[in-house]
Short mmCIF file of all heavy atoms in Angstrom, two decimals:
data_model
loop_
_atom_site.label_atom_id
_atom_site.label_comp_id
_atom_site.label_asym_id
_atom_site.label_seq_id
_atom_site.Cartn_x
_atom_site.Cartn_y
_atom_site.Cartn_z
N LYS M 512 108.50 77.79 95.20
CA LYS M 512 108.10 76.73 94.27
C LYS M 512 107.36 77.33 93.07
O LYS M 512 106.49 78.17 93.20
CB LYS M 512 107.20 75.72 94.97
CG LYS M 512 106.90 74.49 94.15
CD LYS M 512 106.19 73.45 95.01
CE LYS M 512 105.87 72.22 94.19
NZ LYS M 512 104.84 72.46 93.18
N GLY M 513 107.76 76.89 91.88
CA GLY M 513 107.16 77.40 90.66
C GLY M 513 107.84 78.65 90.12
O GLY M 513 107.48 79.13 89.04
N LEU M 514 108.82 79.17 90.86
CA LEU M 514 109.52 80.39 90.43
C LEU M 514 110.96 80.06 90.08
O LEU M 514 111.47 78.98 90.38
CB LEU M 514 109.47 81.44 91.54
CG LEU M 514 108.07 81.83 92.03
CD1 LEU M 514 108.17 82.77 93.22
CD2 LEU M 514 107.26 82.47 90.91
N GLU M 515 111.65 81.03 89.48
CA GLU M 515 113.06 80.84 89.14
C GLU M 515 113.74 82.19 89.01
O GLU M 515 113.10 83.20 88.72
CB GLU M 515 113.21 80.05 87.85
CG GLU M 515 112.54 80.69 86.64
CD GLU M 515 112.60 79.80 85.40
OE1 GLU M 515 111.77 78.88 85.27
OE2 GLU M 515 113.50 80.05 84.57
N TRP M 516 115.04 82.21 89.28
CA TRP M 516 115.83 83.43 89.19
C TRP M 516 117.21 83.10 88.60
O TRP M 516 117.65 81.95 88.65
CB TRP M 516 116.03 84.04 90.58
CG TRP M 516 114.75 84.48 91.23
CD1 TRP M 516 114.12 85.68 91.09
CD2 TRP M 516 113.94 83.71 92.13
NE1 TRP M 516 112.98 85.72 91.85
CE2 TRP M 516 112.83 84.52 92.50
CE3 TRP M 516 114.03 82.42 92.66
CZ2 TRP M 516 111.84 84.09 93.36
CZ3 TRP M 516 113.04 81.98 93.52
CH2 TRP M 516 111.96 82.81 93.87
N ASP M 517 117.88 84.11 88.07
CA ASP M 517 119.24 83.89 87.56
C ASP M 517 120.18 83.50 88.69
O ASP M 517 120.99 82.58 88.56
CB ASP M 517 119.76 85.18 86.90
CG ASP M 517 118.97 85.55 85.67
OD1 ASP M 517 118.61 84.65 84.90
OD2 ASP M 517 118.69 86.75 85.47
N ARG M 518 120.05 84.20 89.83
CA ARG M 518 120.94 83.93 90.97
C ARG M 518 120.10 83.69 92.23
O ARG M 518 119.16 84.45 92.50
CB ARG M 518 121.89 85.11 91.20
CG ARG M 518 122.86 85.32 90.03
CD ARG M 518 123.70 86.58 90.23
NE ARG M 518 124.58 86.80 89.11
CZ ARG M 518 125.85 86.40 89.06
NH1 ARG M 518 126.37 85.75 90.08
NH2 ARG M 518 126.60 86.65 88.00
N VAL M 519 120.47 82.68 92.97
CA VAL M 519 119.77 82.32 94.20
C VAL M 519 120.78 82.13 95.32
O VAL M 519 121.83 81.51 95.11
CB VAL M 519 118.93 81.03 94.01
CG1 VAL M 519 118.43 80.50 95.35
CG2 VAL M 519 117.76 81.29 93.07
N TRP M 520 120.46 82.68 96.49
CA TRP M 520 121.31 82.49 97.67
C TRP M 520 120.44 81.87 98.76
O TRP M 520 119.46 82.48 99.20
CB TRP M 520 121.88 83.82 98.15
CG TRP M 520 122.98 83.68 99.18
CD1 TRP M 520 122.92 83.01 100.36
CD2 TRP M 520 124.30 84.23 99.11
NE1 TRP M 520 124.11 83.09 101.03
CE2 TRP M 520 124.98 83.84 100.29
CE3 TRP M 520 124.97 85.02 98.18
CZ2 TRP M 520 126.29 84.23 100.57
CZ3 TRP M 520 126.29 85.39 98.46
CH2 TRP M 520 126.93 85.00 99.63
N ILE M 521 120.77 80.66 99.20
CA ILE M 521 120.04 79.97 100.27
C ILE M 521 120.79 80.21 101.58
O ILE M 521 121.95 79.79 101.72
CB ILE M 521 119.92 78.47 100.00
CG1 ILE M 521 119.15 78.23 98.70
CG2 ILE M 521 119.24 77.76 101.16
CD1 ILE M 521 119.11 76.78 98.26
N ILE M 522 120.16 80.92 102.51
CA ILE M 522 120.82 81.25 103.78
C ILE M 522 120.45 80.25 104.88
O ILE M 522 119.46 79.54 104.78
CB ILE M 522 120.48 82.68 104.25
CG1 ILE M 522 118.97 82.83 104.46
CG2 ILE M 522 120.98 83.70 103.25
CD1 ILE M 522 118.57 84.16 105.11
N ARG M 523 121.30 80.21 105.90
CA ARG M 523 121.12 79.37 107.08
C ARG M 523 120.91 77.90 106.71
O ARG M 523 119.99 77.24 107.20
CB ARG M 523 119.96 79.88 107.94
CG ARG M 523 120.10 81.32 108.42
CD ARG M 523 121.26 81.54 109.38
NE ARG M 523 121.15 80.67 110.53
CZ ARG M 523 120.38 80.93 111.59
NH1 ARG M 523 119.66 82.04 111.61
NH2 ARG M 523 120.36 80.12 112.62
N ALA M 524 121.78 77.40 105.84
CA ALA M 524 121.75 75.99 105.45
C ALA M 524 122.43 75.17 106.55
O ALA M 524 123.52 74.64 106.38
CB ALA M 524 122.43 75.79 104.10
N GLU M 525 121.74 75.11 107.69
CA GLU M 525 122.30 74.51 108.90
C GLU M 525 121.44 73.36 109.39
O GLU M 525 120.23 73.33 109.17
CB GLU M 525 122.40 75.58 110.00
CG GLU M 525 123.22 76.79 109.58
CD GLU M 525 122.95 78.00 110.47
OE1 GLU M 525 122.30 77.83 111.52
OE2 GLU M 525 123.37 79.11 110.10
N GLU M 526 122.06 72.46 110.12
CA GLU M 526 121.35 71.29 110.62
C GLU M 526 120.21 71.69 111.56
O GLU M 526 119.17 71.03 111.60
CB GLU M 526 122.34 70.37 111.35
CG GLU M 526 121.73 69.07 111.82
CD GLU M 526 122.77 68.15 112.41
OE1 GLU M 526 123.94 68.20 111.99
OE2 GLU M 526 122.40 67.38 113.33
N THR M 527 120.35 72.75 112.30
CA THR M 527 119.31 73.18 113.23
C THR M 527 118.15 73.88 112.53
O THR M 527 117.14 74.16 113.14
CB THR M 527 119.91 74.14 114.27
OG1 THR M 527 120.59 75.21 113.59
CG2 THR M 527 120.90 73.42 115.17
N VAL M 528 118.32 74.18 111.24
CA VAL M 528 117.30 74.92 110.49
C VAL M 528 116.62 74.04 109.46
O VAL M 528 115.39 73.98 109.37
CB VAL M 528 117.94 76.16 109.81
CG1 VAL M 528 116.93 76.87 108.93
CG2 VAL M 528 118.51 77.10 110.86
N VAL M 529 117.42 73.39 108.62
CA VAL M 529 116.89 72.51 107.59
C VAL M 529 117.76 71.25 107.54
O VAL M 529 118.97 71.34 107.34
CB VAL M 529 116.83 73.22 106.22
CG1 VAL M 529 118.19 73.76 105.78
CG2 VAL M 529 116.21 72.34 105.15
N PRO M 530 117.20 70.06 107.85
CA PRO M 530 115.78 69.79 108.01
C PRO M 530 115.19 70.33 109.31
O PRO M 530 115.85 70.34 110.34
CB PRO M 530 115.70 68.26 107.99
CG PRO M 530 117.05 67.83 108.50
CD PRO M 530 118.02 68.84 107.97
N ASP M 531 113.93 70.74 109.21
CA ASP M 531 113.16 71.17 110.37
C ASP M 531 112.64 69.93 111.09
O ASP M 531 112.09 69.02 110.46
CB ASP M 531 111.99 72.05 109.92
CG ASP M 531 111.26 72.68 111.08
OD1 ASP M 531 110.79 71.93 111.96
OD2 ASP M 531 111.13 73.92 111.10
N GLU M 532 112.82 69.90 112.40
CA GLU M 532 112.45 68.71 113.17
C GLU M 532 110.94 68.45 113.17
O GLU M 532 110.50 67.34 113.49
CB GLU M 532 112.94 68.84 114.61
CG GLU M 532 112.33 70.02 115.36
CD GLU M 532 112.88 70.15 116.77
OE1 GLU M 532 113.85 69.46 117.10
OE2 GLU M 532 112.31 70.95 117.53
N LYS M 533 110.13 69.45 112.79
CA LYS M 533 108.67 69.26 112.78
C LYS M 533 108.20 68.52 111.53
O LYS M 533 107.02 68.16 111.44
CB LYS M 533 107.97 70.62 112.87
CG LYS M 533 108.25 71.37 114.16
CD LYS M 533 107.58 72.74 114.15
CE LYS M 533 107.92 73.51 115.41
NZ LYS M 533 107.31 74.87 115.40
N SER M 534 109.09 68.32 110.58
CA SER M 534 108.72 67.66 109.34
C SER M 534 109.57 66.40 109.17
O SER M 534 110.54 66.19 109.89
CB SER M 534 108.94 68.61 108.16
OG SER M 534 108.60 68.02 106.93
N THR M 535 109.19 65.56 108.21
CA THR M 535 109.99 64.36 107.95
C THR M 535 111.24 64.73 107.16
O THR M 535 111.26 65.71 106.42
CB THR M 535 109.18 63.33 107.14
OG1 THR M 535 108.88 63.88 105.85
CG2 THR M 535 107.88 62.99 107.85
N GLU M 536 112.27 63.92 107.30
CA GLU M 536 113.53 64.21 106.59
C GLU M 536 113.34 64.15 105.08
O GLU M 536 113.89 64.97 104.35
CB GLU M 536 114.61 63.22 107.01
CG GLU M 536 115.95 63.48 106.34
CD GLU M 536 117.04 62.54 106.81
OE1 GLU M 536 117.25 62.46 108.03
OE2 GLU M 536 117.68 61.89 105.95
N SER M 537 112.53 63.22 104.61
CA SER M 537 112.34 63.10 103.16
C SER M 537 111.63 64.32 102.59
O SER M 537 111.99 64.81 101.51
CB SER M 537 111.54 61.83 102.84
OG SER M 537 110.28 61.85 103.48
N GLU M 538 110.65 64.84 103.31
CA GLU M 538 109.96 66.03 102.82
C GLU M 538 110.87 67.26 102.89
O GLU M 538 110.88 68.10 101.98
CB GLU M 538 108.68 66.31 103.62
CG GLU M 538 108.00 67.62 103.23
CD GLU M 538 106.50 67.52 103.07
OE1 GLU M 538 105.98 66.42 102.82
OE2 GLU M 538 105.84 68.55 103.18
N GLU M 539 111.67 67.37 103.95
CA GLU M 539 112.62 68.47 104.06
C GLU M 539 113.66 68.41 102.93
O GLU M 539 114.09 69.43 102.40
CB GLU M 539 113.31 68.44 105.42
CG GLU M 539 112.40 68.80 106.57
CD GLU M 539 112.01 70.27 106.56
OE1 GLU M 539 112.89 71.13 106.71
OE2 GLU M 539 110.82 70.57 106.38
N ARG M 540 114.06 67.18 102.57
CA ARG M 540 115.02 67.03 101.47
C ARG M 540 114.38 67.49 100.16
O ARG M 540 115.03 68.14 99.34
CB ARG M 540 115.49 65.58 101.37
CG ARG M 540 116.58 65.37 100.30
CD ARG M 540 117.08 63.94 100.30
NE ARG M 540 117.96 63.68 101.43
CZ ARG M 540 117.65 62.91 102.47
NH1 ARG M 540 116.45 62.32 102.53
NH2 ARG M 540 118.51 62.72 103.45
N ARG M 541 113.11 67.15 99.96
CA ARG M 541 112.42 67.62 98.74
C ARG M 541 112.32 69.14 98.73
O ARG M 541 112.46 69.77 97.68
CB ARG M 541 111.02 66.98 98.67
CG ARG M 541 111.03 65.48 98.39
CD ARG M 541 109.66 64.95 98.02
NE ARG M 541 108.70 65.05 99.10
CZ ARG M 541 108.49 64.09 100.00
NH1 ARG M 541 109.20 62.97 99.94
NH2 ARG M 541 107.58 64.23 100.94
N LEU M 542 112.07 69.73 99.89
CA LEU M 542 111.98 71.19 99.97
C LEU M 542 113.32 71.84 99.61
O LEU M 542 113.36 72.83 98.88
CB LEU M 542 111.55 71.59 101.39
CG LEU M 542 111.41 73.08 101.66
CD1 LEU M 542 110.36 73.70 100.75
CD2 LEU M 542 111.05 73.33 103.13
N PHE M 543 114.40 71.26 100.10
CA PHE M 543 115.73 71.79 99.79
C PHE M 543 116.02 71.63 98.30
O PHE M 543 116.61 72.51 97.67
CB PHE M 543 116.77 71.05 100.63
CG PHE M 543 118.06 71.81 100.80
CD1 PHE M 543 118.16 72.84 101.71
CD2 PHE M 543 119.18 71.48 100.05
CE1 PHE M 543 119.34 73.55 101.87
CE2 PHE M 543 120.37 72.16 100.20
CZ PHE M 543 120.45 73.21 101.12
N TYR M 544 115.61 70.51 97.75
CA TYR M 544 115.76 70.25 96.31
C TYR M 544 115.01 71.30 95.49
O TYR M 544 115.54 71.82 94.50
CB TYR M 544 115.22 68.85 96.03
CG TYR M 544 115.10 68.45 94.58
CD1 TYR M 544 116.22 68.09 93.84
CD2 TYR M 544 113.85 68.39 93.96
CE1 TYR M 544 116.11 67.69 92.51
CE2 TYR M 544 113.72 67.98 92.65
CZ TYR M 544 114.86 67.63 91.92
OH TYR M 544 114.74 67.23 90.61
N VAL M 545 113.81 71.64 95.90
CA VAL M 545 113.05 72.69 95.22
C VAL M 545 113.81 74.00 95.27
O VAL M 545 113.93 74.72 94.27
CB VAL M 545 111.65 72.84 95.86
CG1 VAL M 545 110.98 74.15 95.42
CG2 VAL M 545 110.76 71.66 95.50
N ALA M 546 114.34 74.35 96.45
CA ALA M 546 115.07 75.61 96.59
C ALA M 546 116.30 75.66 95.69
O ALA M 546 116.56 76.66 95.01
CB ALA M 546 115.46 75.81 98.05
N VAL M 547 117.06 74.58 95.67
CA VAL M 547 118.28 74.54 94.85
C VAL M 547 117.96 74.71 93.37
O VAL M 547 118.66 75.40 92.64
CB VAL M 547 119.03 73.21 95.10
CG1 VAL M 547 120.10 72.97 94.04
CG2 VAL M 547 119.65 73.21 96.50
N THR M 548 116.87 74.10 92.91
CA THR M 548 116.55 74.12 91.48
C THR M 548 115.81 75.38 91.05
O THR M 548 115.32 75.45 89.93
CB THR M 548 115.70 72.89 91.10
OG1 THR M 548 114.55 72.81 91.95
CG2 THR M 548 116.52 71.61 91.24
N ARG M 549 115.77 76.39 91.92
CA ARG M 549 115.22 77.70 91.49
C ARG M 549 116.28 78.52 90.75
O ARG M 549 115.95 79.51 90.09
CB ARG M 549 114.75 78.52 92.70
CG ARG M 549 113.64 77.91 93.56
CD ARG M 549 112.46 77.45 92.76
NE ARG M 549 112.57 76.02 92.44
CZ ARG M 549 111.78 75.38 91.59
NH1 ARG M 549 110.84 76.04 90.93
NH2 ARG M 549 111.93 74.09 91.36
N ALA M 550 117.55 78.14 90.87
CA ALA M 550 118.66 78.94 90.31
C ALA M 550 118.97 78.53 88.88
O ALA M 550 119.13 77.35 88.58
CB ALA M 550 119.90 78.78 91.17
N ARG M 551 119.08 79.52 88.00
CA ARG M 551 119.44 79.25 86.61
C ARG M 551 120.95 79.16 86.44
O ARG M 551 121.46 78.24 85.82
CB ARG M 551 118.90 80.36 85.70
CG ARG M 551 117.40 80.52 85.68
CD ARG M 551 117.00 81.52 84.59
NE ARG M 551 115.60 81.89 84.65
CZ ARG M 551 115.14 83.07 85.01
NH1 ARG M 551 115.98 84.03 85.36
NH2 ARG M 551 113.84 83.31 85.04
N GLU M 552 121.67 80.16 86.96
CA GLU M 552 123.11 80.28 86.65
C GLU M 552 124.01 80.22 87.87
O GLU M 552 125.13 79.70 87.77
CB GLU M 552 123.35 81.61 85.93
CG GLU M 552 122.59 81.77 84.63
CD GLU M 552 122.79 83.14 84.01
OE1 GLU M 552 123.64 83.91 84.52
OE2 GLU M 552 122.10 83.45 83.03
N ASP M 553 123.56 80.79 88.97
CA ASP M 553 124.46 80.95 90.11
C ASP M 553 123.71 80.57 91.39
O ASP M 553 122.65 81.12 91.68
CB ASP M 553 124.94 82.41 90.20
CG ASP M 553 125.90 82.62 91.35
OD1 ASP M 553 126.87 81.87 91.45
OD2 ASP M 553 125.67 83.55 92.15
N LEU M 554 124.27 79.60 92.13
CA LEU M 554 123.66 79.15 93.38
C LEU M 554 124.68 79.30 94.50
O LEU M 554 125.79 78.77 94.43
CB LEU M 554 123.23 77.69 93.26
CG LEU M 554 122.73 77.04 94.55
CD1 LEU M 554 121.42 77.65 95.01
CD2 LEU M 554 122.59 75.52 94.38
N ARG M 555 124.29 80.05 95.53
CA ARG M 555 125.13 80.18 96.72
C ARG M 555 124.37 79.62 97.91
O ARG M 555 123.17 79.85 98.07
CB ARG M 555 125.47 81.65 96.99
CG ARG M 555 126.17 82.37 95.81
CD ARG M 555 127.56 81.83 95.58
NE ARG M 555 128.16 82.40 94.39
CZ ARG M 555 129.09 83.38 94.40
NH1 ARG M 555 129.48 83.89 95.55
NH2 ARG M 555 129.59 83.83 93.27
N LEU M 556 125.07 78.89 98.76
CA LEU M 556 124.51 78.39 100.00
C LEU M 556 125.43 78.84 101.13
O LEU M 556 126.66 78.89 100.96
CB LEU M 556 124.39 76.86 100.00
CG LEU M 556 123.57 76.26 98.85
CD1 LEU M 556 124.51 75.76 97.76
CD2 LEU M 556 122.69 75.13 99.35
N SER M 557 124.85 79.16 102.28
CA SER M 557 125.68 79.66 103.37
C SER M 557 125.08 79.32 104.71
O SER M 557 123.94 78.87 104.81
CB SER M 557 125.87 81.17 103.24
OG SER M 557 124.61 81.84 103.30
N MET M 558 125.87 79.57 105.76
CA MET M 558 125.45 79.26 107.12
C MET M 558 126.27 80.09 108.10
O MET M 558 127.28 80.70 107.74
CB MET M 558 125.66 77.78 107.41
CG MET M 558 127.11 77.34 107.27
SD MET M 558 127.41 75.65 107.78
CE MET M 558 127.26 75.79 109.56
N ALA M 559 125.80 80.12 109.35
CA ALA M 559 126.58 80.73 110.43
C ALA M 559 127.46 79.64 111.05
O ALA M 559 127.01 78.51 111.25
CB ALA M 559 125.65 81.33 111.47
N LYS M 560 128.69 79.98 111.36
CA LYS M 560 129.66 78.99 111.82
C LYS M 560 129.25 78.29 113.11
O LYS M 560 129.68 77.16 113.38
CB LYS M 560 131.01 79.66 112.04
CG LYS M 560 131.74 80.06 110.78
CD LYS M 560 133.09 80.68 111.14
CE LYS M 560 133.85 81.13 109.91
NZ LYS M 560 135.14 81.76 110.25
N LYS M 561 128.42 78.95 113.93
CA LYS M 561 128.11 78.41 115.25
C LYS M 561 127.31 77.11 115.20
O LYS M 561 127.25 76.39 116.20
CB LYS M 561 127.34 79.45 116.06
CG LYS M 561 126.01 79.86 115.44
CD LYS M 561 125.34 80.98 116.23
CE LYS M 561 124.04 81.43 115.55
NZ LYS M 561 123.42 82.55 116.28
N ASN M 562 126.71 76.80 114.07
CA ASN M 562 125.86 75.61 113.96
C ASN M 562 126.44 74.59 112.99
O ASN M 562 127.21 74.95 112.10
CB ASN M 562 124.46 76.01 113.50
CG ASN M 562 123.75 76.87 114.52
OD1 ASN M 562 123.84 76.62 115.72
ND2 ASN M 562 123.05 77.90 114.06
N PRO M 563 126.04 73.33 113.12
CA PRO M 563 126.52 72.31 112.18
C PRO M 563 125.94 72.53 110.78
O PRO M 563 124.86 73.10 110.62
CB PRO M 563 126.00 70.99 112.78
CG PRO M 563 125.61 71.31 114.18
CD PRO M 563 125.21 72.75 114.19
N THR M 564 126.66 72.06 109.78
CA THR M 564 126.20 72.17 108.39
C THR M 564 125.01 71.26 108.14
O THR M 564 124.95 70.14 108.65
CB THR M 564 127.35 71.77 107.44
OG1 THR M 564 128.50 72.55 107.74
CG2 THR M 564 126.95 72.00 105.99
N SER M 565 124.06 71.73 107.34
CA SER M 565 122.91 70.91 106.99
C SER M 565 123.39 69.64 106.28
O SER M 565 124.26 69.69 105.41
CB SER M 565 121.96 71.68 106.07
OG SER M 565 121.01 70.82 105.49
N PRO M 566 122.80 68.50 106.60
CA PRO M 566 123.20 67.26 105.91
C PRO M 566 122.92 67.33 104.41
O PRO M 566 123.57 66.64 103.63
CB PRO M 566 122.35 66.18 106.60
CG PRO M 566 121.21 66.93 107.23
CD PRO M 566 121.77 68.25 107.62
N PHE M 567 121.96 68.16 104.00
CA PHE M 567 121.65 68.27 102.58
C PHE M 567 122.77 68.95 101.80
O PHE M 567 123.02 68.64 100.64
CB PHE M 567 120.34 69.02 102.37
CG PHE M 567 119.17 68.42 103.10
CD1 PHE M 567 118.14 69.21 103.59
CD2 PHE M 567 119.09 67.05 103.30
CE1 PHE M 567 117.07 68.66 104.26
CE2 PHE M 567 118.01 66.48 103.97
CZ PHE M 567 117.00 67.30 104.46
N VAL M 568 123.47 69.87 102.47
CA VAL M 568 124.64 70.50 101.85
C VAL M 568 125.74 69.46 101.67
O VAL M 568 126.42 69.42 100.63
CB VAL M 568 125.15 71.69 102.70
CG1 VAL M 568 126.47 72.23 102.15
CG2 VAL M 568 124.10 72.79 102.75
N LEU M 569 125.91 68.62 102.68
CA LEU M 569 126.92 67.56 102.59
C LEU M 569 126.58 66.57 101.49
O LEU M 569 127.46 66.11 100.76
CB LEU M 569 127.04 66.85 103.94
CG LEU M 569 127.36 67.72 105.16
CD1 LEU M 569 127.45 66.87 106.41
CD2 LEU M 569 128.66 68.49 104.94
N GLU M 570 125.29 66.25 101.35
CA GLU M 570 124.86 65.34 100.29
C GLU M 570 125.14 65.91 98.91
O GLU M 570 125.42 65.17 97.96
CB GLU M 570 123.36 65.05 100.44
CG GLU M 570 123.02 64.19 101.65
CD GLU M 570 121.52 64.10 101.89
OE1 GLU M 570 120.75 64.70 101.12
OE2 GLU M 570 121.13 63.41 102.86
N ALA M 571 125.07 67.24 98.80
CA ALA M 571 125.34 67.89 97.51
C ALA M 571 126.83 67.92 97.19
O ALA M 571 127.22 68.30 96.09
CB ALA M 571 124.77 69.30 97.51
N GLY M 572 127.67 67.53 98.16
CA GLY M 572 129.12 67.54 97.94
C GLY M 572 129.73 68.91 98.08
O GLY M 572 130.74 69.21 97.44
N LEU M 573 129.14 69.76 98.94
CA LEU M 573 129.60 71.16 99.06
C LEU M 573 130.25 71.44 100.40
O LEU M 573 130.28 72.57 100.85
CB LEU M 573 128.41 72.11 98.85
CG LEU M 573 127.64 71.93 97.55
CD1 LEU M 573 126.44 72.87 97.53
CD2 LEU M 573 128.53 72.20 96.36
N ASP M 574 130.78 70.42 101.07
CA ASP M 574 131.30 70.62 102.43
C ASP M 574 132.71 71.16 102.47
O ASP M 574 133.18 71.55 103.52
CB ASP M 574 131.25 69.29 103.19
CG ASP M 574 131.99 68.18 102.47
OD1 ASP M 574 131.92 68.11 101.22
OD2 ASP M 574 132.66 67.39 103.15
N ALA M 575 133.40 71.25 101.35
CA ALA M 575 134.82 71.62 101.39
C ALA M 575 135.10 72.94 100.69
O ALA M 575 136.22 73.21 100.29
CB ALA M 575 135.65 70.52 100.76
#
Side-chain angles (χ1 to χ4, degrees):
K512 188 171 180 291
L514 303 174
E515 59 185 81
W516 297 273
D517 295 320
R518 296 174 182 265
V519 168
W520 192 306
I521 299 174
I522 60 172
R523 303 295 303 278
E525 304 162 12
E526 185 175 329
T527 53
V528 175
V529 57
D531 187 304
E532 62 182 10
K533 297 177 183 178
S534 180
T535 65
E536 181 177 306
S537 58
E538 174 136 336
E539 290 290 296
R540 185 176 285 110
R541 291 193 295 270
L542 180 60
F543 202 78
Y544 171 76
V545 166
V547 166
T548 54
R549 299 309 95 190
R551 298 188 189 110
E552 301 176 7
D553 181 52
L554 173 67
R555 303 292 174 103
L556 304 99
S557 60
M558 59 174 288
K560 288 181 181 179
K561 61 185 177 182
N562 295 319
T564 306
S565 168
F567 304 148
V568 173
L569 303 180
E570 290 171 0
L573 304 176
D574 56 321

